Amino acid sequence: MGDVLDKTGARTDAAADVISGARERIDALDDRIIGLVQERMAVSAVIQEERIASGGRRVNLSREMEVLGHYREALGKPGTSLAMTLLELCRGRI
């Protein structure tokens, strides 16, 4: 028991095994999420460059409201916070 259980907070070897496996899956998911956020940032940069080059503004607030609504509908109120963070990462503070 010992070490693994201390790291997982579990009280049994079986629970520690489940938790360890699930944490590995979460770590893999987090890596994928980070990669997707980085990809989103790159695509957003292309959009901003094209908008500015065509004489438009860097940020399209109506589009951002659509994104906020989409995340809120899918994830509830915390989804709005997540979307705000993504938007800030992708375009900076406005």
Side-chain angles (χ1 to χ4, degrees), residues 40 59-88 91 94:
R40 189 187 195 289
V59 175
N60 181 333
L61 294 179
S62 64
R63 172 62 180 150
E64 289 196 356
M65 293 306 294
E66 289 176 21
V67 172
L68 290 170
H70 181 71
Y71 275 78
R72 183 179 54 254
E73 288 173 20
L75 302 172
K77 186 177 178 182
T80 304
S81 297
L82 177 59
M84 286 297 296
T85 299
L86 283 171
L87 290 170
E88 187 175 331
R91 52 94 167 114
I94 55 168

Side-chain angles (χ1 to χ4, degrees), residues 1-91:
M1 260 170 86
D3 245 7
V4 173
L5 298 182
D6 291 339
K7 293 178 183 176
T8 65
R11 303 259 183 217
T12 66
D13 287 333
D17 288 344
V18 170
I19 291 168
S20 292
R23 284 183 177 169
E24 287 177 17
R25 181 75 176 126
I26 284 175
D27 290 345
L29 288 167
D30 284 343
D31 288 342
R32 287 175 50 200
I33 291 167
I34 290 166
L36 289 170
V37 170
Q38 290 170 330
E39 184 177 348
R40 189 187 195 289
M41 291 169 70
V43 172
S44 182
V46 169
I47 291 168
Q48 289 178 47
E49 288 170 12
E50 288 301 314
R51 192 180 296 124
I52 291 167
S54 71
R57 298 177 57 137
R58 181 173 61 99
V59 175
N60 181 333
L61 294 179
S62 64
R63 172 62 180 150
E64 289 196 356
M65 293 306 294
E66 289 176 21
V67 172
L68 290 170
H70 181 71
Y71 275 78
R72 183 179 54 254
E73 288 173 20
L75 302 172
K77 186 177 178 182
T80 304
S81 297
L82 177 59
M84 286 297 296
T85 299
L86 283 171
L87 290 170
E88 187 175 331
L89 282 167
C90 292
R91 52 94 167 114

